[in-house]
Amino acid sequence: MTLIKKLSKDTIMKIAAGEVIESPAAIVKELTENSIDANSTEITIEFQDGGITLIRVSDNGDGIPKEDLSNAFTRHATSKINDIDSLKSLNTLGFRGEALPTIAAVTDVEVVTKTDDETIGNKFEVDHDGNVYNLKSIGASKGTTIVAKNLFENLPVRKKFLKSANIESNKIIELTTKLALSNPNIDFRVIKDGKLYYSTNRNRRFKDNIFNLLGREFANSLKVLDFEFSHGTVRGYISDNNFYRSNRSYQYIFINNRVIKNTEISNAIETVYQNYIPLSRYPGFILYIDIDKELIDVNIHPNKLKIKIYDMEELLIALKNNIYKVLRFETDIPVVESKKENKFIAQRQTYSEERASSYKDIEYKLENFIENFKAAESNTNQNENLEAIHDNNKANSSDLDDNYSSLINFEKTSEKKYTEESNDKINNEVKKLTYIDKIKSILKYNSQAIVGTIFLTYIVIQDVDSENLFLIDQHSAHEKIKYEEFKYYYDNQNINSQVLMNSEIIELSKFNFEKILENKKEINRIGIKFDIFGEQAIVLREIPLYYKSVTPTKIINEILDSITKIDNIYQLDPYRVMREACRAAVKSGQLLDNQEIIELLDKLSKCEYPLTCPHGRPTIIRIKKSVIDKLFFRIQD
C-alpha cells in the first residue's frame, strides 16, 4: 500500500486558493490591482453582505482579447512576466497568474470584457476549474467587469471561518481606501450594499481626496515630507504633534505604487515621534516611496503585502532625519477650542473649500499675534521675525496642495522641494518664533503675565494683548528639563553615581539574568554598577544620583522593561530608562513663586524640544479668550 498520493487538480486548486483568497477583501484586492495594471482611469468596486454574496469590479481599462479568454483563468498564466528575470524590472502589481484561477476556484465568476480593437464585447462564465463556458457576444464599453458570487459555497469548511458581514465590509473599505490613496490618477467609486460609500476624483486636489477618504482632522494635521536618498525619493505627508491614535490605522506606506506593510519603516517613524506625542500612541502618515526596482523583492509573500528592501538602513536613516526636521519646527502648542466652531461646516466640504474660507482669518490672527510682541523685542529682531513668519506662512499655504499636485501627475516637484540647504534656513528662522520663546519674552518684560498656579500643578500665564491663556504643567516641564540634563550627561559619559550604603541583592529569572549580563556595559554607562551574586542574582553597588527616590528593585525592573526586540532580545534603550527615572524623580504638589516659575520656564526654553515631556505629553497648552467668552455666553455662535 502506497502512503504518498498525488492530489487531484480540484484539491490542488482549492488548497492554492487558500494561499491567496482568505477573505472577500482579498478578492477585491486582486481584481482591483488587475484593473490598475490594465491602465484603467475609472474603477468601480461594488459589494454586498461584506463581499460574501457579491463582489463586482468594473473598469475602463484595456480589456481581455477574445483569443486570450481560454488562458485568462488558467493557473500561472500571466501577461505580466516572461521569466524570473522579469521580476527585476516589474512595473505591475500582479504577476503570478494565480489570482483569477483561485478566485474562480472558490466563487461563481461571470465576466464581461471588451478591448479597444474589438467592435463588440464578450460575456462568459468560469467554472471552479478555470474553464470558460457560456461564451457569447454582447454590447459593452471598453474595459472589464468581473462578478464573483457566493464565496466559499463549495468550501463550507472555509466559509465558517469568515467574519460577520460588517467586519468583512470594514476590511474591504480599509483596503480600497489604501488602493485609492496609492493611485490618485484613477477615479474610484465604492458601492456598499447598493449605496455609494465614497468616491475619488483624479482631477481634484490630492488633499481633497485625503479629506474625503480620511476626514478633516487628519487632513488638517498633515505636514509635507519630500526628500531624496541615493536609491530613490520619498514624498507624502506626516501628521503633526496634535494628531495621534491608539493604533496604526492612519499609517499608509506605498512603495513603487504598491500598498505594503513594513514594521521597520513604521517603527523608525514612531521612534522620531516619541518626544512629540504621548506614549502608546501612533502618528499618522501617507508615504510614497519610489525606489530602484532592482533593490526590492515583491515575491516574498503570497498577497504581496510585504516586500524585501535591500539597503533598508539608508532609507530608515533618511526617513528619521527628514521627519525630525519637519516635526522640530512645524509642531505647535495644543490649542483648546470650542467644539461648536465647526458645527455647521458641510460634511462633504472639500479641504480646499474649507482652507479657502478660513486661511485668511488664520493669516490675520498669526500676523496679529506676532505684532503683539513688538514691545518685547528689538526692532532688528522684530523685522527679521515678521519677515520669517510672512514667508513661512505663504509657504504653508501653497506647499500643502501645489507641492503635491505632483502625486496626481506623477511628476517630481522641484520648486517646492525640501532640500538640506532650505531646511537649514527655514529651521533657523522658525526657531526664533517658537511659542516658548514668546512666553519667555512676556515674563521678562511683563511680570503681570504670571497669574499663579492652580491645583499645585499648573502654572497660569496670560497674554492680554493676544488674548491667550497659557497653562504649563510644572511637573511635566520639570521632567523634561531633568531628562535633557541626564541625556546630556549620558551622551557626554558624565553621569555621577552614588555608592549604596547597603548593597541590595536582586534575584532574577534565568532569562532576565542573561539580559542583564548581556547589557552590563551599557547599564554601567547610565550610572548603575552591579556584581554577579550566585547563579541568578546580582548585587547593586552604585546607582545614579538622579535615582534618589527610586528603589533598586524598581531600577532593575525599568531596565528590563526597556530592553526591546529590535536587533535582538538583549538590546537596551538607555533613553527609556532615563525617561522613567525622570518620572520618578519629579515631585508633585509643590507651590512655586513667580521667580521659580521664571527659572523653570527659562530652563524649559533651552530644551531641545520644550513643548512635550519625555513621554510625549504636552507641557504647554493655549486657551483662547474667545473660548472662555463662549462658555460664559459673552460671545454666541
Side-chain angles (χ1 to χ4, degrees):
M1 181 177 100
T2 60
L3 296 177
I4 300 176
K5 302 178 181 65
K6 188 175 181 179
L7 296 175
S8 67
K9 181 180 178 181
D10 180 63
T11 303
I12 292 171
M13 286 297 296
K14 289 177 180 178
I15 292 174
E19 298 176 358
V20 179
I21 308 301
E22 77 283 353
S23 69
I27 294 178
V28 173
K29 177 181 183 292
E30 298 294 346
L31 294 181
T32 306
E33 287 184 345
N34 278 348
S35 295
I36 294 169
D37 288 340
N39 302 309
S40 303
T41 58
E42 298 176 5
I43 299 175
T44 299
I45 302 162
E46 183 179 356
F47 63 93
Q48 294 179 4
D49 302 319
I52 298 171
T53 59
L54 172 73
I55 294 171
R56 179 185 289 111
V57 177
S58 305
D59 64 57
N60 65 344
D62 297 335
I64 306 173
K66 186 174 183 179
E67 56 269 23
D68 288 337
L69 296 182
S70 59
N71 289 329
F73 288 82
T74 302
R75 195 176 183 204
H76 301 313
T78 178
S79 62
K80 312 296 174 59
I81 62 173
N82 296 316
D83 51 41
I84 192 66
D85 291 334
S86 301
L87 292 176
K88 295 180 181 179
S89 57
L90 191 67
N91 290 311
T92 58
L93 299 175
F95 55 88
R96 292 178 173 182
E98 291 182 344
L100 293 181
T102 51
I103 291 171
V106 294
T107 63
D108 301 324
V109 174
E110 183 179 283
V111 182
V112 175
T113 185
K114 177 185 175 298
T115 66
D116 202 29
D117 297 332
E118 294 172 335
T119 57
I120 196 166
N122 296 287
K123 180 179 180 180
F124 58 92
E125 297 176 55
V126 185
D127 65 21
H128 295 317
D129 292 324
N131 300 313
V132 172
Y133 69 99
N134 285 345
L135 176 62
K136 58 184 178 181
S137 298
I138 187 174
S141 57
K142 174 176 171 286
T144 300
T145 296
I146 298 181
V147 180
K149 299 179 181 178
N150 306 318
L151 176 61
F152 293 146
E153 278 297 321
N154 60 330
L155 287 173
V157 68
R158 285 231 175 102
K159 187 173 183 178
K160 70 180 182 181
F161 286 104
L162 290 173
K163 305 297 183 183
S164 68
N166 186 50
I167 292 176
E168 297 294 353
S169 293
N170 290 338
K171 289 181 183 178
I172 293 175
I173 294 300
E174 180 182 1
L175 168 72
T176 56
T177 298
K178 293 177 180 178
L179 291 170
L181 287 171
S182 66
N183 294 276
N185 61 327
I186 298 176
D187 294 345
F188 279 86
R189 295 176 71 247
V190 174
I191 300 172
K192 174 187 174 184
D193 296 323
K195 296 181 180 179
L196 179 66
Y197 192 83
Y198 71 75
S199 65
T200 65
N201 190 319
R202 64 185 182 277
N203 295 319
R204 186 186 298 161
R205 288 183 182 271
F206 185 66
K207 283 296 290 285
D208 287 341
N209 284 329
I210 295 176
F211 183 92
N212 196 29
L213 291 169
L214 301 175
R216 176 188 299 111
E217 183 183 5
F218 182 54
N220 287 347
S221 77
L222 296 178
K223 305 294 182 183
V224 176
L225 184 71
D226 187 7
F227 66 90
E228 294 181 358
F229 62 107
S230 61
H231 300 307
T233 62
V234 176
R235 298 172 291 162
Y237 298 96
I238 60 173
S239 60
D240 62 22
N241 62 311
N242 292 318
F243 182 94
Y244 43 82
R245 291 293 181 264
S246 59
N247 54 47
R248 293 188 173 95
S249 58
Y250 280 83
Q251 297 184 359
Y252 300 92
I253 304 172
F254 309 106
I255 294 185
N256 293 357
N257 208 41
R258 184 186 299 277
V259 179
I260 70 155
K261 292 181 179 179
N262 190 290
T263 53
E264 287 184 274
I265 293 176
S266 294
N267 289 337
I269 295 173
E270 290 160 9
T271 298
V272 184
Y273 275 87
Q274 282 182 349
N275 285 336
Y276 297 87
I277 62 176
L279 289 179
S280 302
R281 292 295 181 268
Y282 300 92
F285 53 79
I286 303 174
L287 294 184
Y288 297 85
I289 303 173
D290 292 321
I291 194 169
D292 188 340
K293 299 180 185 67
E294 294 189 0
L295 296 178
I296 61 175
D297 185 355
V298 298
N299 198 31
I300 64 171
H301 191 273
N303 290 333
K304 300 180 285 294
L305 286 174
K306 299 178 181 179
I307 67 175
K308 185 176 182 180
I309 303 175
Y310 300 97
D311 202 6
M312 171 69 88
E313 189 64 25
E314 184 195 357
L315 172 60
L316 298 181
I317 291 172
L319 262 176
K320 289 192 285 189
N321 288 341
N322 283 275
I323 290 175
Y324 173 78
K325 289 178 182 178
V326 175
L327 285 180
R328 177 65 179 88
F329 298 104
E330 293 200 32
T331 50
D332 200 354
I333 295 177
V335 182
V336 178
E337 296 186 271
S338 172
K339 293 183 178 180
K340 296 181 180 180
E341 289 183 1
N342 294 324
K343 182 178 180 181
F344 299 106
I345 294 179
Q347 185 177 3
R348 289 294 180 181
Q349 183 183 27
T350 66
Y351 177 84
S352 294
E353 289 168 348
E354 181 180 357
R355 190 168 64 87
S357 64
S358 63
Y359 195 79
K360 288 184 178 179
D361 182 53
I362 293 172
E363 184 178 29
Y364 169 77
K365 288 180 179 179
L366 185 57
E367 291 177 347
N368 189 51
F369 177 78
I370 299 301
E371 191 71 18
N372 287 327
F373 290 98
K374 285 182 177 180
E377 300 176 276
S378 67
N379 292 332
T380 303
N381 289 337
Q382 171 192 334
N383 292 334
E384 290 177 355
N385 288 349
L386 288 173
E387 289 176 7
I389 275 289
H390 181 67
D391 293 340
N392 191 49
N393 197 36
K394 287 169 63 179
N396 285 339
S397 70
S398 59
D399 281 356
L400 289 177
D401 290 319
D402 296 342
N403 198 28
Y404 270 80
S405 61
S406 60
L407 287 173
I408 298 175
N409 300 320
F410 289 95
E411 297 174 354
K412 289 184 179 179
T413 179
S414 57
E415 295 181 2
K416 301 291 183 180
K417 191 176 181 69
Y418 272 97
T419 63
E420 191 170 339
E421 294 77 17
S422 63
N423 262 333
D424 291 340
K425 181 179 178 182
I426 292 171
N427 292 348
N428 290 334
E429 292 175 342
V430 176
K431 190 173 182 181
K432 300 175 185 177
L433 301 167
T434 57
Y435 277 100
I436 192 67
D437 286 339
K438 296 304 176 184
I439 294 172
K440 185 179 176 182
S441 296
I442 295 172
L443 292 173
K444 184 175 181 181
Y445 294 101
N446 182 6
S447 61
Q448 298 301 315
I450 302 175
V451 177
T453 60
I454 55 175
F455 310 122
L456 298 179
T457 303
Y458 304 107
I459 300 167
V460 183
I461 298 173
Q462 67 170 336
D463 177 23
V464 177
D465 293 332
S466 66
E467 297 190 336
N468 282 301
L469 187 71
F470 295 92
L471 294 182
I472 295 96
D473 185 332
Q474 66 186 47
H475 310 303
S476 293
H478 189 206
E479 189 178 348
K480 184 56 177 276
I481 293 165
K482 290 186 71 65
Y483 171 73
E484 294 214 358
E485 287 176 352
F486 301 156
K487 181 177 179 294
Y488 173 80
Y489 292 137
Y490 171 81
D491 291 339
N492 290 275
Q493 301 184 20
N494 191 29
I495 289 183
N496 295 320
S497 297
Q498 57 182 334
V499 178
L500 294 175
M501 296 295 292
N502 297 309
S503 299
E504 183 162 340
I505 299 172
I506 300 175
E507 298 283 345
L508 300 167
S509 68
K510 181 71 174 176
F511 183 70
N512 284 338
F513 182 70
E514 290 179 358
K515 287 197 291 184
I516 289 290
L517 293 186
E518 184 74 18
N519 287 276
K520 183 175 182 179
K521 183 177 180 181
E522 194 64 42
I523 293 170
N524 288 342
R525 274 198 67 195
I526 60 177
I528 300 171
K529 307 294 174 60
F530 66 89
D531 294 321
I532 299 173
F533 190 84
E535 293 186 358
Q536 290 181 213
I538 61 172
V539 55
L540 280 184
R541 302 295 188 190
E542 297 180 28
I543 61 173
L545 287 174
Y546 57 80
Y547 273 111
K548 291 178 181 178
S549 59
V550 187
T551 63
T553 302
K554 182 174 176 59
I555 294 173
I556 297 303
N557 287 334
E558 288 169 0
I559 292 171
L560 290 171
D561 289 342
S562 71
I563 297 174
T564 56
K565 188 175 181 181
I566 303 175
D567 295 326
N568 57 66
I569 61 174
Y570 300 104
Q571 187 162 353
L572 172 69
D573 180 0
Y575 299 107
R576 178 174 174 178
V577 175
M578 287 187 283
R579 282 196 294 270
E580 295 304 317
C582 293
R583 173 186 287 176
V586 174
K587 297 290 186 180
S588 298
Q590 181 180 357
L591 181 63
L592 304 179
D593 60 30
N594 281 19
Q595 186 57 40
E596 289 173 322
I597 292 173
I598 292 173
E599 291 176 1
L600 180 69
L601 291 176
D602 181 65
K603 290 182 179 180
L604 184 63
S605 69
K606 295 174 182 176
C607 289
E608 182 181 11
Y609 183 75
L611 300 184
T612 59
C613 77
H615 303 84
R617 295 187 299 272
T619 57
I620 309 169
I621 64 171
R622 179 164 58 99
I623 303 175
K624 297 179 180 179
K625 178 177 178 292
S626 60
V627 173
I628 300 174
D629 288 338
K630 287 179 182 179
L631 292 175
F632 286 96
F633 294 97
R634 285 181 168 274
I635 299 175
Q636 299 192 22
D637 296 326

